[in-house]
Amino acid sequence: MTRLLRFASAVELLSLAVLLTNLFTVHAKVITTFGGPLHGISYVTVIAAASLAPSTGLRGTMWRAFVPGVGGLLALRHLRAERIRHGSV
């Protein structure tokens, strides 16, 4: 599950960056048409993957995933810190 979370969080962050760049520059409809749904799907995938990730502090991991754009990265960091804390690196 962490591999899926890592991939989805990268796609989410990249798609958000592309959408915001488009918003503040050229306003190309084709970028919005494809980037919006891609960002939405990756956002939902991040939340689902974070909720299914093996974790003792599931609530902390899952709630971090709800932050748009960087939530997946925050959830991954929380999972990594949790593994170090419990000695299962």
Side-chain angles (χ1 to χ4, degrees):
M1 254 329 120
T2 57
R3 187 179 301 176
L4 175 62
L5 181 58
R6 190 172 292 124
F7 178 74
S9 63
V11 171
E12 179 191 11
L13 183 60
L14 181 64
S15 64
L16 181 62
V18 169
L19 286 170
L20 289 175
T21 301
N22 181 50
L23 177 67
F24 293 119
T25 57
V26 295
H27 297 285
K29 187 162 177 70
V30 69
I31 292 175
T32 307
T33 301
F34 291 110
L38 177 65
H39 176 69
I41 289 170
S42 61
Y43 178 64
V44 171
T45 304
V46 162
I47 294 169
S51 68
L52 295 174
S55 171
T56 58
L58 178 63
R59 290 183 147 213
T61 303
M62 191 175 71
W63 286 113
R64 282 168 174 80
F66 277 97
V67 178
V70 295
L73 299 175
L74 293 173
L76 282 168
R77 191 168 115 185
H78 183 259
L79 284 171
R80 190 175 307 123
E82 195 173 273
R83 286 190 186 126
I84 290 171
R85 192 174 326 127
H86 293 295
S88 60
V89 175

